[in-house]
Amino acid sequence: MSTSLAALNHWVESVARLTQPEKIHWCDGTEAEYNSLVDLMLTTGDLIKLNEETHPNCYLHRSSPSDVARVEHLTFVCTSNKEDAGSNNHWMSPADAHAKMDELYAGCMRGRTMYVVPYCMGPIDSPLARCGVEITDSPYVVANMRIMTRMGEAALKRIEREGGFVKGLHSIGDLNPDRRFIMHFPEELSIQSFGSGYGGNALLGKKCHALRIASYQARTEGWLAEHMLIVGIENPQGETHYVAAAFPSACGKTNLAMLIPPEGYRQDGWKVWTIGDDICWMRPGADGRLYAINPEAGFFGVAPGTSVKTNASAMAMLNKDAIFTNVGLTADNQPWWEGLPEGVPVKDWQGRDYDKASGPAAHPNSRFTVSAKNCPSYSEKSEDPQGVPLSAIVFGGRRESLVPLVFEARNWTHGVLVGAAMASETTAAATGAVGVVRRDSMAMKPFAGYNFADYFSHWLSFDKPGANLPKIFHVNWFRKNSDGKFMWPGFGDNMRVLEWMLKRVTGQAHANETPIGLLPNSDDLNIDGLNMDVATLNQLLDVNHEAWYEEMEAIGEYLQSYGDRAPQALLAEQEKIARQLA
Ligand code: OXD
Ligand code: MN
């Protein structure tokens, strides 16, 4: 395979001149190609075959122990003007970044195969989809890209038709954390990544393209690229409402996307359909509603904590055709991670004999990669070129205090403030301290490819005549009591909160006005079959004015930290709420 597109040929040739690979392989995306990559990795030890009976066609990859998560401190947005990247990003000038990367790339693929991976983010015939080409020297990256994107010949045809594509260059280099950089050049629509094989740093279609570069592109083209799951909720009348929800990494997006409703709901006929678990691209349709696609074709989910109890759909989809990264192993070669009620690990994620004293069997950010079509709740609408119309957008964080179970924004501007003000405790998905509360606007702190102030303005700009925008909500599944125990059961029971939201959308549910937004009373939520006392529920729905006043002041300071570019409408909304709380 090669291409008729001169621009692509020139780029591939120039990368080959710089990196000096032994061979160049154009990926066609076929199963035969996938199988031969797997065979190659079985011989090099990059993959270990798992139990063929319990997990047919499943493999384990053990990464370098210092390459297990995204590296935010080594991730840069390289715009010509520093202000355009904003204080939410690390910045380097394009000239400096190119010089640094050219030096690292020089000769880095000697003795290796250079893979050229054409891919499409989104259904191949969707006007919302966008294409890219990733050049990489990692067969593990190619195999993952085949699961996570529409990769190969069909994507190349679209690229040849369109002429343009996002250029992503990746080399694992020598996996030295001191020689690791993830550079983004939004003005050039290009990405350069060196020194890591980890998903978010190396599968360039995902965070680098579908969020950082796409968010920049979306701003100029009038759409939004967001860190959100997309889920369809079908009610007993057979109507399906689509919801997009933004949560920071490792805060339960995959679980919410695959939620299994509680028994009573299932009996009544409620169903959940999964479209995406991590990224959502949305734009206004002719009817003024926002239409969303999942640009990805697979899930790159966090393994620990996934079990039949927390996510039975995920467990069902992981029984075949999956790649596991950095999980533990049982004596009969089954994957194992903390949170599984059964099985005994004998090897940890580094391949050492498992010893509880030296840490968990699976790395806390160990992952599975699997096709979305494997999911029992997979929605056929995932392939709809027009996307699905959104009824609600949900923001949420991991907050052990202050933030109630659910509240609704009064209008779009207030909703944008709620998203911008989001904060959450950090998780193992990125290197660095875990459990520290930080502002993570729209769950996009690590992923917005431009200045957050401009990003907030872009969000606000969707509220214009003719728009029929989704309602915006905020949730917190992670509130703890004074004993440090979670107060809300979460997982499938989150359906109870979703039901209230959707009834708000259709005008069938009650809400109380408070300064921070609209909240249900305890009797507005269905807690049938749930072992929860009303006092706990009331506590979960309580708004502490004094503590919220302080939070609002902190939100004001945060917005002001973006200087003159911070949108006045957002500051005015924040001031109004602070006044009401005072
Ligand atoms: C992810 C992340 O991998 O957010 O989705 O880190
Ligand atoms: Mn994510």
Side-chain angles (χ1 to χ4, degrees):
M1 217 171 92
S2 67
T3 178
S4 56
L5 187 64
L8 177 52
N9 269 324
H10 288 155
W11 178 56
V12 170
E13 280 162 19
S14 71
V15 170
R17 262 196 310 278
L18 176 64
T19 59
Q20 302 278 306
E22 186 178 305
K23 274 194 288 203
I24 300 180
H25 175 102
W26 287 73
C27 295
D28 60 16
T30 57
E31 195 174 330
E33 178 181 76
Y34 179 83
N35 291 339
S36 71
L37 286 168
V38 165
D39 287 344
L40 172 74
M41 287 187 278
L42 288 171
T43 56
T44 57
D46 278 333
L47 289 185
I48 295 166
K49 183 152 181 56
L50 296 174
N51 187 317
E52 180 62 26
E53 260 159 49
T54 59
H55 291 79
N57 206 21
C58 288
Y59 303 92
L60 167 66
H61 172 74
R62 292 193 184 116
S63 77
S64 158
S66 61
D67 185 31
V68 291
R70 285 182 291 99
V71 281
E72 293 179 9
H73 59 298
L74 301 172
T75 299
F76 292 80
V77 169
C78 310
T79 43
S80 359
N81 174 352
K82 184 174 182 186
E83 274 296 297
D84 291 340
S87 57
N88 45 304
N89 280 302
H90 298 292
W91 177 85
M92 200 181 288
S93 78
D96 286 353
H98 278 304
K100 190 180 267 305
M101 297 308 277
D102 280 355
E103 205 174 296
L104 292 170
Y105 285 132
C108 71
M109 294 191 192
R110 269 189 204 116
R112 296 181 187 171
T113 300
M114 177 174 117
Y115 299 93
V116 181
V117 186
Y119 63 86
C120 178
M121 300 309 293
I124 199 91
D125 51 355
S126 169
L128 284 83
R130 294 288 182 276
C131 291
V133 178
E134 172 164 0
I135 293 180
T136 178
D137 54 8
S138 161
Y140 166 80
V141 165
V142 179
N144 277 272
M145 284 291 282
R146 180 168 183 271
I147 299 174
M148 295 303 297
T149 72
R150 282 92 172 163
M151 179 268 251
E153 211 162 334
L156 183 60
K157 284 221 170 73
R158 178 168 168 161
I159 291 168
E160 285 169 346
R161 222 173 36 242
E162 291 181 336
F165 57 95
V166 170
K167 293 188 181 86
L169 172 54
H170 168 253
S171 169
I172 53 171
D174 52 7
L175 293 173
N176 178 347
D178 297 327
R179 289 156 46 81
R180 180 175 294 163
F181 290 100
I182 325 294
M183 303 286 195
H184 302 75
F185 305 89
E187 291 149 354
E188 300 167 19
L189 298 184
S190 85
I191 305 154
Q192 299 198 334
S193 164
F194 188 91
S196 168
Y198 172 74
N201 303 328
L203 311 179
L204 301 186
K206 193 174 179 61
K207 303 301 186 180
C208 301
H209 178 166
L211 288 176
R212 298 193 192 94
I213 297 292
S215 60
Y216 184 94
Q217 224 177 350
R219 181 180 171 223
T220 57
E221 296 173 3
W223 50 283
L224 287 162
E226 297 300 322
H227 191 204
M228 292 178 176
L229 66 95
I230 310 169
V231 67
I233 314 283
E234 185 178 329
N235 66 20
Q237 293 74 49
E239 298 151 355
T240 304
H241 283 278
Y242 294 93
V243 175
F247 298 90
S249 310
C251 287
K253 284 199 297 300
T254 307
N255 294 339
L256 187 61
M258 295 169 198
L259 176 149
I260 295 183
E263 173 86 46
Y265 278 82
R266 273 177 290 159
Q267 276 166 6
D268 290 348
W270 290 86
K271 293 192 184 105
V272 169
W273 300 105
T274 307
I275 294 201
D277 79 331
D278 195 42
I279 303 180
C280 165
W281 286 359
M282 51 197 177
R283 68 153 195 209
D287 58 0
R289 298 187 72 183
L290 276 187
Y291 283 78
I293 60 163
N294 171 16
E296 300 190 285
F299 306 123
F300 179 67
V302 179
T306 308
S307 69
V308 172
K309 208 165 141 224
T310 61
N311 192 339
S313 293
M315 290 310 288
M317 74 184 180
L318 294 178
N319 284 340
K320 61 177 172 81
D321 307 326
I323 299 175
F324 295 87
T325 301
N326 292 337
V327 298
L329 266 188
T330 64
D332 64 346
N333 258 359
Q334 294 194 50
W336 196 90
W337 51 81
E338 278 65 23
L340 283 179
E342 279 157 23
V344 178
V346 296
K347 294 280 178 202
D348 74 3
W349 63 279
Q350 299 188 59
R352 304 174 303 193
D353 289 344
Y354 172 61
D355 172 6
K356 204 170 179 177
S358 22
H363 186 275
N365 191 37
S366 53
R367 299 277 178 151
F368 53 77
T369 320
V370 69
S371 165
K373 291 189 176 152
N374 263 27
C375 181
S377 54
Y378 171 77
S379 166
E380 297 292 336
K381 286 278 186 186
S382 308
E383 288 298 330
D384 190 328
Q386 299 309 322
V388 293
L390 294 179
S391 296
I393 288 179
V394 181
F395 294 118
R398 194 182 270 273
R399 296 291 294 268
E400 62 176 62
S401 60
L402 181 74
V403 183
L405 179 61
V406 60
F407 62 95
E408 177 189 326
R410 275 181 292 275
N411 52 42
W412 186 257
T413 302
H414 180 213
V416 175
L417 176 68
V418 168
M422 259 172 76
S424 193
E425 294 151 26
T426 50
T427 68
T431 51
V434 168
V436 181
V437 175
R438 70 163 180 184
R439 291 271 163 230
D440 190 351
S441 299
M442 279 82 169
M444 284 285 279
K445 164 75 185 73
F447 307 121
Y450 61 102
N451 190 319
F452 253 164
D454 300 339
Y455 169 82
F456 302 149
S457 299
H458 182 50
W459 261 86
L460 291 169
S461 74
F462 285 81
D463 187 9
K464 53 181 171 222
N468 183 5
L469 295 166
K471 268 189 185 294
I472 297 181
F473 298 87
H474 189 284
V475 298
N476 177 22
W477 317 133
F478 299 95
R479 192 81 174 257
K480 287 185 179 165
N481 64 17
S482 48
D483 297 335
K485 295 233 164 62
F486 288 115
M487 292 163 74
W488 178 250
F491 304 107
D493 287 308
N494 293 335
M495 183 68 214
R496 300 169 191 278
V497 178
L498 287 168
E499 183 191 9
W500 178 77
M501 289 180 200
L502 294 181
K503 290 202 163 144
R504 288 293 300 160
V505 167
T506 53
Q508 295 166 286
H510 161 269
N512 289 326
E513 273 278 357
T514 79
I516 69 159
L518 303 153
L519 274 84
N521 281 329
S522 53
D523 56 4
D524 294 321
L525 290 177
N526 174 2
I527 53 166
D528 288 354
L530 192 66
N531 186 13
M532 169 159 293
D533 55 85
V534 175
T536 306
L537 194 52
N538 279 333
Q539 227 179 315
L540 280 165
L541 296 172
D542 182 49
V543 178
N544 177 332
H545 283 218
E546 218 169 297
W548 266 103
Y549 178 75
E550 273 171 36
E551 176 78 352
M552 265 320 182
E553 291 289 292
I555 291 166
E557 278 166 33
Y558 170 69
L559 293 176
Q560 260 146 12
S561 75
Y562 290 99
D564 293 347
R565 291 201 190 199
Q568 278 311 314
L570 229 46
L571 283 160
E573 189 71 27
Q574 175 270 333
E575 279 162 20
K576 191 172 81 191
I577 298 171
R579 265 197 313 277
Q580 285 171 14
L581 287 161

